[in-house]
Amino acid sequence: MNAVITAGGRIDGAYAAAAGTAIKALAPVRGAPMIERVVEAVRGAGIDRIAMVGPAAVRDACAERVDRFIDEGVSGSQNVQLALRSWPDDEPLLYVTSDLPYITADALRDAVLRTTAGVLTMPVAECDAFERRFPDAPPFGITLAGERIVNAGVFVIPAGASMAIARRAAQLFDARKAPLQMAGLVGPSFLLRMLFRRLTIAAIEKRAWRVLGYPAMALRGCAPELAYDADTYAEYRYATTRA
């Protein structure tokens, strides 16, 4: 299995001021940039080769820690495509975001070992377990037909799939904050069920298979450490003070 880490996200305002950088991956958390923790976890999980997509500042800080560095594109969706095409797709691909301040090798290894060959896999943590692990943290998670989960910043893409889904994955990335565009990709009835919290995990898996062209599943019961992403200043501030 190969891995790719995306490290192009930017921050501003109070977050950037507190982190001392405008690049989220380089924001320090308890003595080390978040990106270093992610690389160490991926290495520790036994992944064969690691690629990274990011800006020049991340290259300067991390290029020697990975096997391949890919200069970022002009947009987030282009970076998704670059990441999915970072390695030949004759092996499964572990896709990891760079803003996971609590990620560990053990948590990542457990998720990888529980994936099913030939299936697109997204690990998810149960909200109750997440809140026990991170008490008083900023709100995380989504509600699906009465079930509360927190999705991880990790995906496992089966061999042969990464090139095939790259274009559609980039379209979904672009549409994540545009309801009409998203409706065109996933269907208006699906979007309405999502907005009214009537979706089930099974329905999402089924639609992902239809949209992406590969079987998909949510991997339940994964470690909360894979699901805490420091996307906002409040989330970052919590991570800097709580081990």
Side-chain angles (χ1 to χ4, degrees), residues 1 45 47 94 96 103-117 119 121-125 152-156 217-227:
M1 177 179 287
I47 304 305
L94 176 65
V96 187
I103 190 172
T104 68
D106 288 344
L108 196 55
R109 186 185 303 111
D110 173 73
V112 169
L113 289 175
R114 292 200 290 125
T115 58
T116 301
V119 176
T121 305
M122 182 182 72
V124 298
V154 174
F155 305 88
V156 179
M217 68 172 289
L219 187 66
R220 296 171 180 268
C222 289
E225 288 82 358
L226 299 180

Side-chain angles (χ1 to χ4, degrees), residues 104-175:
T104 68
D106 288 344
L108 196 55
R109 186 185 303 111
D110 173 73
V112 169
L113 289 175
R114 292 200 290 125
T115 58
T116 301
V119 176
L120 288 162
T121 305
M122 182 182 72
V124 298
E126 313 306 325
C127 259
D128 288 346
F130 186 93
E131 290 168 357
R132 287 194 300 270
R133 173 63 180 87
F134 302 113
D136 303 318
F140 275 84
I142 57 174
T143 300
L144 299 171
E147 182 177 14
R148 296 174 62 235
I149 60 170
V150 188
N151 59 285
V154 174
F155 305 88
V156 179
I157 300 163
S162 57
M163 300 291 185
I165 70 171
R167 178 173 173 273
R168 184 52 61 94
Q171 291 175 332
L172 290 169
F173 180 92
D174 278 340

Side-chain angles (χ1 to χ4, degrees), residues 20-72:
T21 177
I23 300 170
K24 184 162 51 173
L26 298 179
V29 174
R30 302 185 308 278
M34 283 193 283
I35 189 65
E36 288 189 14
R37 296 176 185 274
V38 175
V39 172
E40 289 175 4
V42 174
R43 286 281 183 217
I47 304 305
D48 298 327
R49 298 181 296 181
I50 303 174
M52 186 179 294
V53 179
V58 174
R59 175 190 284 273
D60 293 342
C62 300
E64 294 182 359
R65 297 174 178 266
V66 298
D67 302 285
R68 174 178 296 177
F69 193 93
I70 301 164
D71 291 325
E72 67 177 352

